[in-house]
Amino acid sequence: MTAYIPRLAAIPYDVFANPAASLLLPIALGTTVGFSSRPKQTQRSYRAMKQPPLRPPPQVFGPVWTILYGLMGYAAHRAVTKFPSALASTDQMRTLYSVQLGLNLLWMPLFFGLRRPVLALVDIVSLVGLNGYLTYLYFSVDTTAGWCQVPYMAWLGFATYLTASVGYLNDWDISETKLGKRAS
């Protein structure tokens, strides 16, 4: 499968070669996207949506994602700097990681910025599939890298449940107009 992946604008190897850079890059990008989405407004919108059972309070997401971004960066560092897998080259793993990071960073603007839960659901389902494959590749190179992906995969599963449930419970319309009517 990975033999047909072109070398897209993947994150440079030097980032992966440096453990601190590999760890801090996803944290910095995730934090930037999180703060650019106006956290207070996002929390208000989140509270105004009909929510499924098991939903966490909005204050949980920042710390959880910070840990997960750190784990994914460390996993990528370990996997990319080890000998290549028989299943994928170092360049292919860098490209897959770069694509998954882009999809991850796209979810919040799709859901809270554009208010498009269907697109956010397509994004996160793609993210689950891509990371399932990436986790498989990581395990083939380095078990620690593979295990670092497991919490991320679990959270992505939970986030998929939340995305689909919120979309469904709100009739796939989480626009300001719809949420404003509900709050009135």
Side-chain angles (χ1 to χ4, degrees):
M1 174 179 174
T2 55
Y4 300 104
I5 297 174
R7 290 185 192 179
L8 301 173
I11 296 168
Y13 180 84
D14 291 343
V15 172
F16 294 101
N18 182 320
S22 192
L23 187 116
L24 293 174
L25 178 68
I27 293 172
L29 292 173
T31 301
T32 301
V33 169
F35 279 111
S36 70
S37 69
R38 300 177 307 242
K40 295 250 187 262
Q41 182 181 351
T42 298
Q43 287 184 11
R44 272 194 307 277
S45 298
Y46 180 76
R47 287 186 182 105
M49 295 173 196
K50 292 179 186 172
Q51 296 286 339
L54 306 176
R55 74 159 174 89
Q59 299 83 358
V60 168
F61 292 99
V64 167
W65 275 110
T66 301
I67 292 166
L68 294 173
Y69 282 133
L71 283 170
M72 83 169 67
Y74 183 65
H77 159 73
R78 289 188 63 99
V80 169
T81 58
K82 297 284 182 184
F83 292 106
S85 164
L87 304 171
S89 72
T90 299
D91 286 345
Q92 291 164 335
M93 280 199 272
R94 284 184 340 160
T95 300
L96 288 169
Y97 175 81
S98 300
V99 170
Q100 80 79 30
L101 185 58
L103 286 172
N104 182 298
L105 297 171
L106 187 60
W107 184 90
M108 189 169 238
L110 287 174
F111 193 85
F112 286 108
L114 297 175
R115 305 297 179 116
R116 302 280 190 231
V118 172
L119 291 178
L121 183 60
V122 169
D123 176 81
I124 202 162
V125 168
S126 301
L127 199 53
V128 168
L130 182 56
N131 275 284
Y133 184 59
L134 204 51
T135 301
Y136 172 72
L137 292 176
Y138 285 6
F139 268 117
S140 76
V141 174
D142 180 73
T143 55
T144 301
W147 282 112
C148 284
Q149 284 287 100
V150 170
Y152 182 38
M153 287 299 300
W155 187 261
L156 285 175
F158 182 60
T160 302
Y161 156 75
L162 291 174
T163 302
S165 297
V166 167
Y168 175 77
L169 292 171
N170 291 279
D171 298 321
W172 302 100
D173 184 0
I174 56 171
S175 64
E176 286 290 335
T177 306
K178 179 91 175 218
L179 295 178
K181 288 179 184 176
R182 189 170 302 126
S184 302

